[in-house]
Amino acid sequence: MDGRRARAMTVNSFSSVSLEPALVLWSLGRDSARYALFRHAPTFGINVLAFDQVELSTRCARQDDLNGAGAQWTERESGAVFVEGAIARFDCRVTAVHEAGDHEIIVAQVLDFDTPREAPALVFNRSAYGQI
Ligand SMILES: Cc1cc2nc3c(=O)[nH]c(=O)nc-3n(C[C@H](O)[C@H](O)[C@H](O)COP(=O)(O)O)c2cc1C
């Protein structure tokens, strides 16, 4: 570690929206302690975790510090954070935020992405972790 810090949050709401332009979304709970941080971030990274990263997912649901969660990561020019070991990573710039009940839907354009690893993906279904 070289003293740099990055913030993260485990989310399951990530989804693709549009191919042209490439848009994705995720929804942010309004009662999250991380609400202000992510509501106002102009860019962010989406990291699709592998099944063997289930502990990282659990930790990032409890706390926001990626170093504390034990992750190795790099920061992109945009400010988005890419996590080592993830199977797909998206460098995203926010284009719209929509109020939706107790969440905000955050829509973003994909500036860049990579798929650095082939491994079973971590999924969360019926309140349990699994793999596909
Ligand atoms: C598998 C999983 C998926 C989650 N998906 C979301 C999500 O899509 N959006 C969200 O706001 N919180 C989601 N959460 C909850 C957050 O990760 C976090 O636990 C919650 O915001 C409470 O912590 P905080 O108040 O420190 O943010 C998810 C948690 C887990 C374990």
Side-chain angles (χ1 to χ4, degrees), residues 9-13 27-29 31-34 60-61 103 124 129:
M9 181 170 182
T10 298
V11 303
N12 205 24
S13 50
S27 60
L28 168 64
D31 62 358
S32 166
R34 289 167 248 197
C60 289
H103 280 60
F124 190 72
Y129 284 107

Side-chain angles (χ1 to χ4, degrees), residues 5-25:
R5 299 183 74 190
R7 305 289 183 193
M9 181 170 182
T10 298
V11 303
N12 205 24
S13 50
F14 172 64
S15 183
S16 75
V17 175
S18 159
L19 291 177
E20 189 52 55
L23 297 176
V24 296
L25 68 76

